[in-house]
Amino acid sequence: MKKFRKVLDGLSSSSPGGVASPSCGSAAGTPTSHAPTPQDIHVQETLVSENFQICKTVRHGFPYQPTCLAFDPVQKILAIGSRTGGIRILGRPGVDCYSQHESGAAVLQLQFLINEGALVTACADDTLHLWNLRQRRPAILHSLKFNRERITFCHLPFQSKWLYVGTERGNTHIVNIESFVLSGYVIMWNKAIELATKAHPGPVVHLSDSPKDEGKLLIGFESGTVVQWDLRAKKVDFRIYYDEAIHSVSWHHEGKQFMCSHSDGSLTMWNLRNTARPIQITYPHGKILKDGRKESCKPILKVEYKTSRNSSEPYVIFSGGLSYDKSGGRRPTLTIMHGKAITVLEMDHPIVEFLVLCDTPYSNEVQDPYAVVVLLEKDFIVVDLTQSNFPIFENPYPMDIHESPVTCTAYFAECPPDIIPILYSIGAKQKKTGYSHKEWPVSGGTWTLGSQTYPEIIVTGHADGTVKFWDASAITLQMLYKLKTSKVFEKPKAGEGRAGELVEEDPYAVQMVSWCPHSRLFCVVGISAHVILYRFSKHDANTQIVSLEVRLQFDSEDVISPSEAENNPCFSDPSSPQPPGSPGSGTQDSLPCLKVKSRPVRMPPGYQAEMVVQLQWVDGEPPQQITSLDINSAYGLLAFGNCNGLTVVDFLQKTILMCMGTLDLYGAADPYQRLTRSPRKNRQSTSGLTELSDNQVSMDMERSKSPTSESRENSFSRSRSSSVSSIDRDTKESVTTLQFGESYGRKGDALPTACLWVGTSLGVVLLLPISIPTEEEERMEEPITMGPSGTVLMLKGSVLRFAFLDCGGALIQSPYEVWRDPNGPEDPDRPRRRKLINFSPSSSQEACGDGHLAVVCSEKQAKVILMPTQAVLFTHNITESSFLLRADVVSVCNSVCLACFCANGHIMTLSLPSLRPLMDINYLPLTDLRIARTFVFTNGGQALYLSSPTEIQRLTYSQEMTDNLQDMLGELFTPIETPEAQNKGFLKGFFGGNAQTFDREELFGEAAAGKASRSLAQHIPGPMGLENMKAAAGGVVGDLARARIALDQRGERLGELEERTALMMNSAETFSTHAHQVMLKHKDKKWYQL
């Protein structure tokens, strides 16, 4: 083993003596006097540990597994709770906040303290939490944990500090919102029902105070019992019994009647004058059958009963209630009844909850509903009630990320500034129409564009083959453009093609993307082993899509000997016909999985498919999924690889330039001792294609057990119909990463040339120099030559990333072609020519001489080597016990570093080129392959991953961005005057108004009600600490308390002023009387008699 390691070490520091290719045309020669040595490399590194800090920034997308909904009608902000303990608070575009309960318990109910900047959450672990929303990142102020009873329903009256809490046992408790302690006042279930009733009424499913009298509390029990409790008298006003279970209750605003929804699909109306029976029973979707029986209907889970100023007819809005016969083939529905008009809105997903939005926060005023917010299991819509056809509002939030499951992500920061406007202008034509013309009703909070903004784009690939471009600038997310890759292919007919055998479903699923924002070239890799190349155009076009098919299935009989490789380094055209006896010449083989459209296709402006490359079936085996991809617009080349080998395509000449098995890339410089593989005919043989020596097998088998290798080769965890044995599958050497760039193809090269860097799953780095004609006319006609030059170095684990630095430590970009519209109008005076931008290593460093640094990172370690000498300058073993899932070389704070995400949840950054550890933080444990597949770093200290099937989580690892984050986030709370209650008028107030005011403090306070049992609930201070909590309390409930104290003081001062005014009036009257008496006394006297 020691001897074997010495061999590997020697390979990494000396020339492997690879097969030279005379026809490759690179500028080989003796090293110049300017070639740097390791002693010449002195890069001044500026990054330190203080530059790095992990912080979640914002979460985009639809809340995963939503459970409940709440709306503040004054602040106009909306909250959504989820089954995993998350809360999303939404306002105007840009105001989007995510918070998480540490317990992870499902959020059962949400209650805003209306216009107070606070929110109460009730969770499945029977804990109440008070959240402060007056800060950009909400925090918990108090928690109250119930020990003996389970919370089922909560109700907080408007402008009250007392929260009613119903429990599974049927009891109702009262919580002081300011102190978050229980009152001694309890409404026990056995006091609420009649003594003669033997059965338990069930859990509390509804609580509300009467709009007519706040001292009356309506309690609904699941069994069908409804009780109105007089809070002052501590007794029942009336009881209602109904045969069917109750799901919800809704008051008429006058407080004289209310409506209940039931489990049999019925709605009952009750009048307080006669509570013996309902005044109306309706089955909105149930008909009377011929035999007189009524149709059985599904439960109506919620009903809202709202009055309107513009109409004498109320709105009755409910979910569910369809008859079982009809509902079999129908989707979930929301029904809007307005007078005799009944409108049924069908939904794409089950309804979780809905809310009717009204102008007034007061329950005793005409409600005037204007919209309905409907929370579905996988969508969120708002219906406009003010128009007769009930259109929906256009949703400004990116709630449709998961429209089709996300299968891959890409993140581009500091894009060219013109790319976002042009994508938006073309994507705007794809938008649906028919939306409401009114403004989005959830318009609360404030958000301003931060000072540190630059163009950012997120690209998501999806299971149905769609690709979406999102504007991610300034921590927002807005859809720009949508591309459907499936339109390139013919729709498969039943029993036709191989797609069904390869993949059970989603044959167009996107595995990876490669995008050059400068040249606007876009490349998509699909699960059916296909690669699609797109060009961007502002004009529509009728285009014939070029289709190339590649046979990339190599075996021992396919391997070419070193002598043959010397004579024919570039290989004959693999697309040429196979010899008659060769494998794959059967009629059923040599077919791709999908069929490309053969006729010219009309393509709208945007991304237009130019070429499709597909791998063929061979010997009844499907092509293996593509594991690596790179494209270079300046070279006009596209490269991709899988576990069988590497393919390079010239997309300018539309030809296959190279198609090699992984073994052939080594030539005579194979560092492994591989056993001879038996021919394919001997199927019982278990020898692997690239079987290794014993020592290396154990190392690679251990690595191959890691989830990342499985996810990389089987990204969608689907079984593949393949006869390859398990040992063969584990030890196949895949091409795991590719990178085009200007480099030195061989040790002796004096000048840089176009190269393709190849990394494999066994940690081998190979270099392929490319000879490209310089003149444009020659480039379109003359063939490109390329061939392997041997192994450069080896690392532990699969190679993940390449990057290139100049000798001053600056990142070298890959060359690119400046975008030009392929369908633009021709100018006869100025022929169109390609404009190439080349970042050659020798162009930016005269002081250091020629040469550059190559950064190579694998699953286990990173190395920095000096080119062209191939000397290893720095090595760092990143992890021993785990493995990296993602590694990117990114720019942060005007410098560069290597950012890594490890399978054990650690995020690490390393300095370049010295590979000094700068940060190592245990961020999150890898819970599923979704995170492994979607985690990506980008420039500016940002990263993202799919935190759930429906949400994208963005984070920063930059201290500078963490410090500036508060300025970038939106404000949830805006100081707004609470609207005044309407003046009811003298007669209404005199005859029907509340004669006496209701003081809850007198009833529920400790002085009157005493203390609650300590064992019933436990108060838990917020996690911010006592001092911070006091300071935060000054922002929410403290403000409420202080406002009340100020109001009391103002009342006292007004009282004193009134008393002083009365005294002054009495004094004035006394003075007036006295003056009158003096006047009468001297009335008849002359002035000289006085």
Side-chain angles (χ1 to χ4, degrees):
M1 185 67 184
K2 287 181 180 177
K3 185 177 180 181
F4 185 64
R5 281 179 178 163
K6 286 179 181 177
V7 171
L8 295 185
D9 292 338
L11 282 168
S12 65
S13 58
S14 61
S15 172
V19 179
S21 176
S23 62
C24 285
S26 63
T30 57
T32 65
S33 57
H34 296 289
T37 62
Q39 290 76 22
D40 297 332
I41 304 299
H42 298 288
V43 177
Q44 185 66 38
E45 295 182 0
T46 58
L47 291 177
V48 292
S49 298
E50 287 71 25
N51 292 126
F52 296 93
Q53 176 63 46
I54 294 286
C55 179
K56 291 181 180 179
T57 53
V58 67
R59 185 173 289 209
H60 303 296
F62 180 76
Y64 185 54
Q65 296 179 327
T67 53
C68 54
L69 192 62
F71 183 71
D72 186 326
V74 179
Q75 288 289 320
K76 295 194 181 302
I77 56 174
L78 185 106
I80 300 173
S82 75
R83 199 177 299 169
T84 53
I87 309 169
R88 275 289 280 289
I89 302 173
L90 303 168
R92 68 176 67 247
V95 178
D96 187 342
C97 176
Y98 173 79
S99 297
Q100 174 73 38
H101 292 92
E102 286 187 6
S103 64
V107 182
L108 300 179
Q109 199 175 350
L110 298 162
Q111 285 276 314
F112 276 106
L113 277 69
I114 294 174
N115 205 28
E116 298 287 354
L119 176 72
V120 174
T121 58
C123 296
D125 60 352
D126 305 305
T127 306
L128 298 172
H129 304 275
L130 178 66
W131 291 81
N132 176 16
L133 305 185
R134 295 200 180 199
Q135 53 194 64
R136 300 194 184 208
R137 284 190 175 274
I140 292 175
L141 292 172
H142 301 279
S143 298
L144 188 66
K145 167 77 173 169
F146 280 70
N147 297 321
R148 296 188 309 205
E149 298 192 50
R150 307 219 66 182
I151 298 170
T152 55
F153 196 87
C154 297
H155 170 63
L156 180 66
F158 179 46
Q159 293 183 321
S160 168
K161 70 172 184 178
W162 299 96
L163 175 74
Y164 301 116
V165 181
T167 68
E168 196 175 42
R169 291 189 182 181
N171 302 325
T172 301
H173 300 276
I174 300 167
V175 177
N176 185 321
I177 291 296
E178 290 179 1
S179 60
F180 235 59
V181 295
L182 274 177
S183 165
Y185 194 115
V186 184
I187 305 171
M188 304 299 289
W189 69 270
N190 53 359
K191 299 281 183 67
I193 65 170
E194 286 181 323
L195 294 175
T197 307
K198 295 180 180 179
H200 189 279
V204 175
V205 295
H206 176 81
L207 291 167
S208 62
D209 49 338
S210 167
K212 190 177 179 181
D213 185 355
E214 294 176 345
K216 311 284 188 180
L217 184 68
L218 198 70
I219 308 172
F221 297 95
E222 189 181 61
S223 63
T225 302
V226 180
V227 169
Q228 181 165 290
W229 180 267
D230 189 328
L231 293 164
R232 302 183 194 89
K234 299 183 181 179
K235 66 181 182 65
V236 173
D237 283 345
F238 62 81
R239 297 182 180 91
I240 287 172
Y241 297 99
Y242 195 69
D243 296 337
E244 295 294 337
I246 286 177
H247 286 285
S248 71
V249 182
S250 185
W251 279 99
H252 187 279
H253 80 274
E254 291 178 350
K256 296 176 182 177
Q257 56 189 27
F258 59 86
M259 184 177 284
C260 300
S261 69
H262 300 277
S263 57
D264 64 344
S266 66
L267 296 172
T268 57
M269 181 82 78
W270 301 82
N271 195 302
L272 300 194
R273 290 181 180 176
N274 180 14
T275 56
R277 64 179 60 86
I279 60 171
Q280 187 181 17
I281 302 175
T282 56
Y283 291 85
H285 295 301
K287 295 180 180 178
I288 304 299
L289 302 175
K290 292 180 180 179
D291 56 3
R293 292 184 299 107
K294 63 178 183 298
E295 275 185 311
S296 57
C297 296
K298 289 189 170 184
I300 294 179
L301 299 177
K302 184 175 182 179
V303 64
E304 291 265 25
Y305 183 29
K306 301 295 181 185
T307 50
S308 172
R309 282 191 188 87
N310 300 328
S311 172
S312 58
E313 298 289 348
Y315 284 90
V316 177
I317 303 169
F318 61 88
S319 59
L322 286 179
S323 66
Y324 279 101
D325 296 336
K326 292 179 183 175
S327 62
R330 291 184 68 172
R331 295 181 289 182
T333 60
L334 182 81
T335 305
I336 302 172
M337 296 170 61
H338 188 215
K340 293 183 179 179
I342 299 178
T343 305
V344 179
L345 304 177
E346 289 192 344
M347 304 292 165
D348 292 333
H349 309 283
I351 296 173
V352 175
E353 192 178 349
F354 73 90
L355 284 177
V356 178
L357 307 189
C358 303
D359 282 323
T360 177
Y362 297 95
S363 61
N364 59 354
E365 294 180 357
V366 178
Q367 298 297 287
D368 257 349
Y370 60 88
V372 185
V373 177
V374 189
L375 180 63
L376 309 175
E377 277 189 4
K378 294 184 178 180
D379 203 357
F380 169 75
I381 64 170
V382 181
V383 180
D384 185 354
L385 287 180
T386 61
Q387 298 182 47
S388 58
N389 60 339
F390 302 127
I392 64 170
F393 290 88
E394 185 176 5
N395 197 327
Y397 316 121
M399 292 288 185
D400 58 345
I401 292 173
H402 64 289
E403 188 176 16
S404 173
V406 177
T407 52
C408 73
T409 58
Y411 194 1
F412 302 89
E414 300 170 359
C415 301
D418 60 336
I419 192 71
I420 289 179
I422 195 166
L423 282 174
Y424 181 79
S425 64
I426 289 177
K429 299 171 186 175
Q430 302 174 329
K431 285 190 176 181
K432 298 177 183 176
T433 56
Y435 292 112
S436 171
H437 299 299
K438 297 205 169 183
E439 288 187 9
W440 179 251
V442 186
S443 56
T446 55
W447 180 76
T448 54
L449 200 63
S451 58
Q452 294 185 327
T453 58
Y454 43 84
E456 297 175 71
I457 288 180
I458 293 172
V459 181
T460 55
H462 299 263
D464 64 352
T466 58
V467 177
K468 294 180 182 179
F469 291 77
W470 306 85
D471 178 7
S473 309
I475 72 166
T476 61
L477 196 70
Q478 185 179 9
M479 170 76 123
L480 287 174
Y481 175 72
K482 183 177 179 179
L483 176 66
K484 294 182 178 179
T485 63
S486 59
K487 289 189 173 182
V488 170
F489 303 101
E490 301 280 5
K491 290 183 179 178
K493 296 177 183 177
E496 186 179 292
R498 296 270 192 167
E501 297 178 46
L502 175 64
V503 185
E504 296 84 355
E505 55 187 18
D506 301 329
Y508 310 112
V510 178
Q511 265 190 297
M512 65 182 78
V513 296
S514 180
W515 185 44
C516 175
H518 299 281
S519 64
R520 301 182 189 173
L521 273 183
F522 186 61
C523 206
V524 176
V525 170
I527 195 172
S528 299
H530 62 269
V531 183
I532 311 173
L533 176 66
Y534 289 90
R535 285 189 185 271
F536 187 84
S537 174
K538 295 180 182 179
H539 308 277
D540 57 0
N542 282 318
T543 308
Q544 178 75 46
I545 302 171
V546 177
S547 178
L548 299 177
E549 295 177 5
V550 180
R551 182 179 179 275
L552 191 57
Q553 195 94 5
F554 290 92
D555 225 328
S556 57
E557 61 255 40
D558 301 320
V559 176
I560 295 178
S561 65
S563 59
E564 290 176 312
E566 288 176 9
N567 297 330
N568 187 14
C570 297
F571 283 67
S572 60
D573 185 359
S575 60
S576 61
Q578 297 284 337
S582 66
S585 59
T587 56
Q588 293 186 353
D589 282 312
S590 301
L591 292 173
C593 299
L594 301 170
K595 186 178 180 182
V596 179
K597 289 180 179 177
S598 55
R599 63 186 185 281
V601 181
R602 185 193 171 280
M603 299 183 186
Y607 273 103
Q608 301 170 349
E610 180 176 286
M611 185 178 70
V612 179
V613 185
Q614 296 187 87
L615 298 184
Q616 298 173 340
W617 283 63
V618 178
D619 285 357
E621 292 184 3
Q624 298 298 311
Q625 289 180 14
I626 294 167
T627 55
S628 54
L629 169 75
D630 194 34
I631 186 169
N632 189 281
S633 56
Y635 300 161
L637 298 180
L638 162 69
F640 62 90
N642 66 3
C643 62
N644 286 323
L646 169 70
T647 299
V648 182
V649 178
D650 181 343
F651 61 79
L652 295 180
Q653 296 185 19
K654 307 293 188 296
T655 58
I656 297 169
L657 186 62
M658 171 185 280
C659 184
M660 270 194 181
T662 317
L663 276 173
D664 306 322
L665 296 172
Y666 292 105
D670 189 351
Y672 291 112
Q673 302 171 19
R674 304 176 196 258
L675 302 180
T676 305
R677 177 175 166 83
S678 301
R680 275 188 182 274
K681 296 168 187 175
N682 299 332
R683 285 293 181 188
Q684 66 272 20
S685 170
T686 58
S687 299
L689 174 63
T690 54
E691 196 161 347
L692 315 177
S693 64
D694 293 340
N695 293 332
Q696 186 62 26
V697 165
S698 61
M699 182 193 81
D700 188 63
M701 287 290 286
E702 185 179 349
R703 190 208 65 80
S704 67
K705 292 175 185 175
S706 66
T708 184
S709 62
E710 292 183 16
S711 70
R712 204 170 285 119
E713 304 222 359
N714 247 340
S715 297
F716 304 96
S717 304
R718 295 180 178 127
S719 60
R720 314 274 312 206
S721 55
S722 173
S723 61
V724 183
S725 66
S726 60
I727 297 175
D728 180 28
R729 189 165 57 249
D730 285 341
T731 55
K732 269 190 174 183
E733 187 173 10
S734 303
V735 176
T736 55
T737 187
L738 296 164
Q739 181 71 53
F740 285 106
E742 294 287 304
S743 189
Y744 300 86
R746 275 168 295 276
K747 245 184 166 184
D749 284 1
L751 296 172
T753 184
C755 290
L756 175 62
W757 288 68
V758 181
T760 76
S761 57
L762 298 186
V764 178
V765 176
L766 302 158
L767 196 52
L768 281 69
I770 310 167
S771 177
I772 302 175
T774 53
E775 293 296 326
E776 185 166 347
E777 291 76 11
E778 293 179 3
R779 173 66 187 85
M780 301 305 293
E781 296 173 2
E782 295 294 322
I784 291 177
T785 55
M786 65 183 297
S789 64
T791 308
V792 175
L793 79 160
M794 295 187 60
L795 296 90
K796 298 176 186 175
S798 178
V799 181
L800 298 178
R801 186 67 56 209
F802 295 120
F804 309 118
L805 310 176
D806 63 24
C807 291
L811 190 64
I812 302 174
Q813 290 187 20
S814 295
Y816 65 84
E817 177 189 358
V818 176
W819 175 76
R820 54 176 183 165
D821 198 325
N823 302 322
E826 292 281 353
D827 186 351
D829 298 331
R830 297 180 62 188
R832 300 171 65 190
R833 299 185 65 84
R834 299 175 71 216
K835 183 180 178 183
L836 308 182
I837 306 296
N838 194 352
F839 301 93
S840 173
S842 59
S843 62
S844 60
Q845 45 191 353
E846 285 135 10
C848 301
D850 295 336
H852 71 89
L853 306 177
V855 181
V856 186
C857 186
S858 75
E859 289 179 326
K860 297 283 187 180
Q861 67 178 180
K863 289 186 179 182
V864 176
I865 61 173
L866 178 62
M867 299 297 289
T869 63
Q870 299 182 8
V872 178
L873 300 181
F874 303 99
T875 302
H876 179 71
N877 292 320
I878 300 172
T879 178
E880 294 292 339
S881 58
S882 187
F883 49 91
L884 295 187
L885 296 165
R886 182 80 188 194
D888 289 292
V889 174
V890 291
S891 61
V892 182
C893 301
N894 300 316
S895 188
V896 290
C897 69
L898 175 64
C900 308
F901 176 55
C902 198
N904 60 14
H906 286 247
I907 292 178
M908 295 164 279
T909 56
L910 305 173
S911 69
L912 290 176
S914 67
L915 298 176
R916 260 184 315 113
L918 296 171
M919 179 187 72
D920 185 350
I921 294 178
N922 188 3
Y923 175 68
L924 85 165
L926 180 64
T927 53
D928 50 37
L929 292 177
R930 181 185 62 251
I931 298 173
R933 193 175 61 234
T934 58
F935 199 104
V936 58
F937 295 97
T938 191
N939 296 330
Q942 295 199 76
L944 68 80
Y945 61 94
L946 218 64
S947 57
S948 74
T950 63
E951 295 166 290
I952 289 175
Q953 177 68 59
R954 288 166 70 178
L955 60 131
T956 180
Y957 48 95
S958 160
Q959 182 67 58
E960 182 184 6
M961 187 169 180
T962 302
D963 295 339
N964 296 325
L965 187 59
Q966 288 295 324
D967 299 330
M968 301 168 71
L969 297 173
E971 289 274 8
L972 296 172
F973 179 78
T974 310
I976 299 173
E977 285 287 334
T978 302
E980 292 185 3
Q982 293 175 5
N983 189 358
K984 292 187 175 182
F986 173 75
L987 291 175
K988 231 177 190 181
F990 186 78
F991 292 108
N994 298 340
Q996 60 184 125
T997 56
F998 177 58
D999 189 351
R1000 293 183 177 90
E1001 186 69 38
E1002 286 185 4
L1003 287 174
F1004 308 145
E1006 191 176 319
K1011 290 184 177 180
S1013 170
R1014 288 187 178 180
S1015 60
L1016 186 61
Q1018 175 190 359
H1019 177 261
I1020 306 167
M1024 300 190 302
L1026 192 59
E1027 292 180 8
N1028 290 337
M1029 202 173 79
K1030 284 178 182 175
V1036 192
V1037 187
D1039 274 6
L1040 180 61
R1042 280 198 296 276
R1044 289 203 175 93
I1045 292 168
L1047 195 62
D1048 292 341
Q1049 290 173 349
R1050 184 182 172 204
E1052 289 172 7
R1053 285 197 295 271
L1054 283 172
E1056 291 172 4
L1057 181 62
E1058 189 177 354
E1059 288 174 7
R1060 286 199 298 271
T1061 306
L1063 287 171
M1064 288 175 68
M1065 286 178 68
N1066 289 335
S1067 176
E1069 284 178 10
T1070 305
F1071 177 77
S1072 174
T1073 304
H1074 183 67
H1076 187 66
Q1077 287 171 353
V1078 170
M1079 185 267 295
L1080 290 174
K1081 181 179 178 181
H1082 301 287
K1083 182 179 178 183
D1084 299 326
K1085 291 183 179 181
K1086 304 292 183 184
W1087 63 271
Y1088 53 83
Q1089 293 174 330
L1090 295 174

